[in-house]
Amino acid sequence: MAGRTDDTDRGVAGVKGVAGIFLTFAVRNLRRHWVRSGLAALGIVIGVAAIATLGILGNNLIILFSGLVADVSDTVVVTPHLAAASGDPFDPRSALAGGLTERDLDRIERAVGPYQAVPLFQTAELLERGRKKGYVPVIVIHHDDIPVLLDVEDGALPPSSGKSVLVGSLLAEEAEVRAGGRINLGGEDVRVAGVLEERGMGIDINPDYAVVVTHGWYTERHPEPAYDRVVVKVTDLGDIPAVKKAIADQFNRRKEVVDVQDSREILELFYQTYDAISIFLLGIGGVALLVAGVSILNVMIISVTERFHEIGVMRSIGARRTEVMRMFLYEALILGVAGSLIGGAVSTVAGMAVTASVAETVFAGYGTVPTGLGPDGIGSVLLGMGFGLGTSLLSGVYPAWKASRLDPIEALRYE
């Protein structure tokens, strides 16, 4: 064991010039107090892992979410205004159901001009298929409007009335049903006219896990409902602000009656929320690194205090102040490099594991998969390692400076 240690020391001392000698001293001192040094490095590992893991998770969540959101950049959605839309979720009015009438639809159609307005509403019904049973979303839309929003992958559109429905692609896969098959919806046996193409999440509708029925089908079985949204397809993206303003001017002159949103606003809100959460989580990682920095500072100050006599001997035989300072900075640097490398490796594994877990739980129903590390993930790891290394060096500056300023005579007298 001693022979192996000597060989290692010779290898370290093999670095050119006096720097190798002082690097050897630094390594020996860290080995001499390996428990204390390990605990100090552990703080760096935790801080680096916290920053990098959260960065990897956040970047992959953005990619996962963006992959889920359908390309509906030409869509404007008009919904009844609720108190919650104004940012007051505790207002009891936010629990009241709102609706848009045929008269409201006429006003929207006048406001949007040449662009098509598609009214619809969503409810829920009990679906039974063999042994599988559960409530599913039911999207009610006029027969002629279905091709505007949806594409049929297998089968055909249902008639405007009767006993035929459309089933979302992921729901059809889970319920093991194809075009021409039958399901029990709301206690009634109905035919599946077609299976929809997978569309992804959108700000207008999310049909992949839903049943789509015509307005005529629904009104044959239930009272005439109010619409809970109107989807406007704006083919010229440059007209979206003007269309939104025209609708708002039509309804919201005196008070908020409707909310008008487009996909860009929803995504921007998501990204703003993510940025705020990221800053908060990075703050947590920063606190961990701060604690680690204080730990390293404490270790280095103790090291300087314990080695007053050694420093005095070194200074008396000709060691310069810069060389003494460098020796202690080497110790801090070694702790920072070791902690940052281990923290980077831990964060890579932990970040990918957490991302995979989120993808398999929160987004499992939409067929998403982990996205891998990627350039942004690598950047998060390097950022965390950089913070860890910088924290270690900054924590070692004062003890190193203090050691370099010791008077050799006073240091030799220290017991």
Side-chain angles (χ1 to χ4, degrees):
M1 187 71 177
R4 187 178 303 171
T5 302
D6 292 341
D7 290 342
T8 306
D9 291 342
R10 291 192 196 100
V12 174
V15 181
K16 281 188 177 182
V18 181
I21 297 175
F22 287 101
L23 180 59
T24 302
F25 290 159
V27 172
R28 282 181 175 175
N29 185 62
L30 291 175
R31 283 181 182 160
R32 189 183 306 163
H33 305 286
W34 62 272
V35 174
R36 190 169 65 194
S37 302
L39 291 175
L42 180 61
I44 296 295
V45 171
I46 294 173
V48 171
I51 291 179
T53 300
L54 295 172
I56 294 171
L57 175 61
N59 291 325
N60 279 341
L61 284 179
I62 283 185
I63 296 173
L64 285 168
F65 183 82
S66 300
L68 290 176
V69 176
D71 183 12
V72 287
S73 56
D74 62 344
T75 300
V76 172
V77 179
V78 184
T79 55
H81 176 71
L82 296 177
S86 298
D88 185 5
F90 300 104
D91 192 316
R93 292 173 297 165
S94 62
L96 298 177
L100 298 171
T101 64
E102 290 290 344
R103 181 182 176 185
D104 294 329
L105 176 60
D106 290 339
R107 295 172 66 187
I108 292 173
E109 289 176 337
R110 287 198 303 269
V112 302
Y115 300 116
Q116 186 164 2
V118 179
L120 57 93
F121 70 96
Q122 183 169 308
T123 181
E125 294 282 0
L126 180 65
L127 183 146
E128 296 181 69
R129 167 74 174 173
R131 296 183 178 180
K132 298 181 179 180
K133 177 191 298 187
Y135 281 89
V136 296
V138 175
I139 300 171
V140 182
I141 184 171
H142 288 281
H143 177 268
D144 294 338
D145 291 333
I146 293 177
V148 178
L149 301 181
L150 303 169
D151 294 314
V152 177
E153 181 179 41
D154 182 25
L157 291 175
S160 57
S161 60
K163 293 188 175 183
S164 297
V165 300
L166 295 171
V167 177
S169 60
L170 298 180
L171 179 59
E173 181 179 344
E174 183 171 312
E176 299 178 353
V177 62
R178 295 182 296 179
R182 307 192 74 84
I183 58 174
N184 188 288
L185 186 66
E188 179 182 355
D189 186 62
V190 297
R191 176 178 173 271
V192 177
V195 175
L196 297 169
E197 286 187 4
E198 186 173 347
R199 186 173 184 267
M201 293 172 62
I203 67 165
D204 49 359
I205 54 176
N206 301 312
D208 292 343
Y209 253 111
V211 175
V212 177
V213 302
T214 65
H215 191 271
W217 184 96
Y218 187 85
T219 54
E220 288 177 359
R221 295 159 176 81
H222 304 279
E224 183 79 27
Y227 304 116
D228 60 18
R229 75 200 74 175
V230 174
V231 178
V232 182
K233 303 300 287 186
V234 184
T235 53
D236 187 348
L237 300 184
D239 285 346
I240 287 181
V243 169
K244 292 173 62 178
K245 184 177 184 303
I247 297 172
D249 290 344
Q250 184 72 239
F251 286 89
N252 299 336
R253 289 180 180 177
R254 295 183 179 179
K255 63 177 182 178
E256 294 283 336
V257 177
V258 298
D259 297 310
V260 187
Q261 295 178 312
D262 66 87
S263 58
R264 291 174 296 183
E265 287 181 330
I266 301 298
L267 287 176
E268 183 178 351
L269 178 62
F270 170 78
Y271 291 138
Q272 288 175 350
T273 303
Y274 165 74
D275 289 341
I277 294 174
S278 296
I279 292 173
F280 173 73
L281 295 179
L282 285 175
I284 295 176
V287 170
L289 281 179
L290 178 62
V291 173
V294 172
S295 175
I296 291 178
L297 177 65
N298 182 54
V299 168
M300 297 300 296
I301 289 177
I302 293 174
S303 178
V304 171
T305 303
E306 290 177 344
R307 296 164 67 190
F308 272 5
H309 191 80
E310 179 184 335
I311 295 170
V313 172
M314 293 170 59
R315 292 282 285 118
S316 66
I317 62 175
R320 300 185 182 91
R321 287 180 174 177
T322 55
E323 292 168 341
V324 174
M325 186 173 182
R326 192 186 306 164
M327 178 180 67
F328 285 95
L329 285 178
Y330 283 156
E331 292 187 20
L333 182 64
I334 291 170
L335 291 175
V337 169
S340 296
L341 288 176
I342 296 173
V346 170
S347 62
T348 300
V349 175
M352 294 306 303
V354 173
T355 300
S357 176
V358 171
E360 292 172 1
T361 54
V362 179
F363 299 114
Y366 294 93
T368 58
V369 294
T371 58
L373 193 58
D376 291 334
I378 294 175
S380 297
V381 173
L382 294 178
L383 176 66
M385 293 174 66
F387 269 111
L389 192 57
T391 300
S392 301
L393 284 176
L394 288 175
S395 300
V397 168
Y398 172 71
W401 175 83
K402 181 180 178 182
S404 69
R405 306 304 294 180
L406 287 176
D407 181 84
I409 303 301
E410 295 296 328
L412 285 172
R413 290 176 180 174
Y414 182 82
E415 293 294 337

